[in-house]
Amino acid sequence: MSTGLVSLAFKDPARVSAVRRARILDAADRLGYRPNFVARSLAADGSSFIGILLSDLHNPLFAEIADAARQEFDAHGSYALIASATKARPEGRAPENPEEGGQAGSGASARGPGGLRVPGATGGADRIADEQVIAMFRDLRPRGVLVIGTIADTALLSGLPSATPVVYASAVSPEGSAHPSVRADDDAGMALLFDHLTGRGHQRIAFVGGAGGEVSRLRLEAYLAQAEARGMPALVARADFSEQSGYRAGAELAGLDPRPTAVIAVNDLAGIGVQAAAEQAGLRLPADLAVAAFDNTYLAGLHRISLTTIDPRNAEVGRRAASRLLLALDPDGARHAGLPRDGARNASAPGAGDSDALRDVSSPIGESRGAASAPRSARFGGAHAVASPGTEDVLVRPELIVRDSA
Amino acid sequence: MSTGLVSLAFKDPARVSAVRRARILDAADRLGYRPNFVARSLAADGSSFIGILLSDLHNPLFAEIADAARQEFDAHGSYALIASATKARPEGRAPENPEEGGQAGSGASARGPGGLRVPGATGGADRIADEQVIAMFRDLRPRGVLVIGTIADTALLSGLPSATPVVYASAVSPEGSAHPSVRADDDAGMALLFDHLTGRGHQRIAFVGGAGGEVSRLRLEAYLAQAEARGMPALVARADFSEQSGYRAGAELAGLDPRPTAVIAVNDLAGIGVQAAAEQAGLRLPADLAVAAFDNTYLAGLHRISLTTIDPRNAEVGRRAASRLLLALDPDGARHAGLPRDGARNASAPGAGDSDALRDVSSPIGESRGAASAPRSARFGGAHAVASPGTEDVLVRPELIVRDSA
DNA sequence: CTGTTAGCGCTTTCAA
DNA sequence: TTGAAAGCGCTAACAG
């Protein structure tokens, strides 16, 4: 039998006679034969998988998103590879990662502030250590790429065949990017928090955050907007995503004379820092100071923490980002091959309430981002090289989780 | 110019005349040419990179190990790719992951207890969703593989060319595996904890843990051994790695009549659960109950937690595992090509005290594991197919971090 | 339906 | 040193 036939038998079994197919498949696994992924991706141009690129291994939020996305892909018969890149941080910039900032100081970590960089062996300048990973990733030619978090060097992705659809999750897409991003709606989250706190009578609500990265900055803006819209005084203590930082900010706030009665922290970790500072200052929680935050990491749910927080619904973000990508890959909708779609779906996501998963979307941001202002007509632009269905960002409506802290 | 020459110019510039080389390199980057990773790995058999396989994206310990390993690889001019596999858990088994168990319950997670599995499109049985990732990984033919955490399906790795060295980090290598593993020495950690607690006068020290996985079981055994060796009573409240679980165990312990004065928890999260239960029961911490744990995650360092714990020195584990692999790849030691090794080393790990990094190793476990009893002679067995330098497990001596809780 | 023929983009002999 | 030629393991047109 010819090799071509064997190839067919694996790729499109239906087009091979039953006898042959049986013989091939049988012989294959008797010999332990498995088609070689690499050769395949070289020969066909473009592989059959969807790549997931994780920008930061340390961020647990990203892991959740990746899991959800992967489920979605699997449910649709697509494959996903996860490669990870360590985020290369500009020197001296605090990590966006809620975890790292709070590392216990006594560990044996030798990591410098600049992240993982190595002196270039080839070029002169430093390069991101994971450039290799990205290169490899690119050469594998994924059908589409889901980027989770912010990838430092946008140029790396540009090596992809230009028709490859890219979707960003949980990050604003880079400057002038035509790729959509899917993320939680921090403005909505902030509004939820204000509603809740004012509902409990708070009139002096402070914000802890604003530093450490884009997300922090956007949340600060959202805070200021809410405060103004409600005619409330704005009070900001600068902090990044770390507990330490929140602690310092909290101490500052606790010492103020007309003390705020509530604090909204940029993330759980900072919020915990605020709580710690408040306790230290002799305040009772939540009576003297209510604390709320963003992210709903598992930290917030610990008995001893019990922090009211905004759940960004990472699973939903991941799922939504994945669907978006799938749509771009197959704009016609669906029925093309393979396994019973619905069955697979139900099996892998039993109680998720999938049916209305697409309803709770806020309107696209519109003016707030360059990328978002791409012409809507591109949506159905079959004539374009990339028939990507829309480049508008998608905002997922977050959820308020009320706990003891506020 | 022939394509062959170009190839040479990239791989071994010295063997190409200066003129040609210049012209090639110049033209290359003017045209934006970059050698294709995939084609290269197909043509040459075996790529130039070392693969890092992460078993669980959610475990922050693993991320730390991966980072450290990557640094080590980079310092030696090798490349590393990280692919991730979601650990496929036997149905109903609690996660080994310290994080997941403690997830706040209100999120939108739709993940079933069985982890990410999809109904097989090809075969009949369920398969791990990430089988594809592993297949791809394998087909890329890494020079060596570092597995971080426990990979469920060992068979997956077996598809590698049999001479590929494999090292496990932070996991016991699978049954009968000939591959060495590098991990923290839990026995030593337990001894450290007992020394500390008895030094503070504690005589009734309980253990919370034992369930949820291999690591938990081993720590329980270590506890029992210490208690016996010191002629102290053993008191165990079963728990897995979650805070909930620790909370329940703590409540149980708090209600006992001759109450323990100290508790050692299987990990930070469980320890925090114990603290919460104790507080709830009206005990003062640490006066009425001292709590200590394992892992030194950033949790332990939070102001409001301040947990005395054992630092597994993940960075060291990662570094050590990486060296081990490098050694297996190049048993002769070092001088083979490329960049000034020492310079690179120093640059990327400034204050790490590298020089004595190899001194603090406990003796190999010996009898405790099958794999560890491989004949020492294999060490220099140049005649063997795999001249792997030693298959003994390496245990890293952990460190005690004393905080307020004990 | 099946076999044949070209490559995918590179690395490697092997001569020149 | 350089060029030419033969693949790596597969897929993608074709023709039979």
Side-chain angles (χ1 to χ4, degrees), chain B residues 15 35 65 68 96 112 129 139 145 162 168 171 210 212 234 240 313 316 329 361 373 378-379 389 398:
Chain B
R15 274 174 42 196
I65 294 175
E96 288 207 22
D139 291 342
V145 176
S162 65
Y168 286 87
D240 59 28
R313 297 177 66 211
E316 185 62 24
L329 289 171
V361 192
S373 56
R379 245 200 171 143

Side-chain angles (χ1 to χ4, degrees), chain B residues 23-37:
Chain B
R23 293 222 304 163
I24 290 174
L25 264 26
D26 182 68
D29 74 39
R30 197 157 25 74
L31 267 35
Y33 169 88
R34 337 243 276 100
N36 183 311
F37 221 101

Side-chain angles (χ1 to χ4, degrees), chain A residues 34 37-38 58 67 70-71 74 80 86 99 104 129-130 133 136 139-140 243 275 298-299 303-304 403, chain B residues 37-38 58 67 70 74 80 86 99 104 116 129-130 136 138-140 243 275 298-299 303-304 403:
Chain A
R34 338 243 276 96
F37 218 101
V38 170
H58 294 273
D67 273 353
R70 188 144 51 169
Q71 264 183 97
D74 280 334
T86 290
E99 308 303 327
D130 266 351
V133 174
M136 174 172 256
D139 292 343
L140 250 13
E243 192 234 5
Q275 288 184 305
Y298 69 94
L299 284 174
H303 286 94
R304 299 186 75 196
R403 298 209 182 83
Chain B
F37 221 101
V38 169
H58 295 271
D67 274 353
R70 189 144 50 168
D74 279 335
T86 291
E99 309 303 328
L116 295 173
D130 266 351
M136 173 172 257
R138 186 218 298 119
D139 291 342
L140 250 13
E243 191 233 5
Q275 289 184 304
Y298 69 94
L299 285 175
H303 286 93
R304 300 186 74 195
R403 296 207 182 83

Side-chain angles (χ1 to χ4, degrees), chain B residues 330-378:
Chain B
D330 182 9
D332 301 328
R335 99 225 66 87
H336 62 115
L339 69 174
R341 207 194 279 323
D342 285 303
R345 240 263 191 183
N346 291 337
S348 68
D354 279 307
S355 51
D356 55 356
L358 286 171
R359 265 203 274 284
D360 55 339
V361 192
S362 313
S363 57
I365 294 196
E367 76 294 344
S368 75
R369 300 235 0 112
S373 56
R376 173 166 277 262
S377 65

Side-chain angles (χ1 to χ4, degrees), chain B residues 7-65:
Chain B
S7 174
L8 248 196
F10 275 92
K11 207 188 104 74
D12 193 356
R15 274 174 42 196
V16 171
S17 71
V19 207
R20 298 295 203 192
R21 195 186 341 162
R23 293 222 304 163
I24 290 174
L25 264 26
D26 182 68
D29 74 39
R30 197 157 25 74
L31 267 35
Y33 169 88
R34 337 243 276 100
N36 183 311
F37 221 101
V38 169
R40 175 182 292 200
S41 118
L42 181 61
D45 65 30
S47 335
S48 63
F49 78 104
I50 293 176
I52 299 181
L53 201 52
L54 216 57
S55 70
D56 187 342
L57 224 42
H58 295 271
N59 196 326
L61 273 54
F62 292 172
E64 280 176 32
I65 294 175

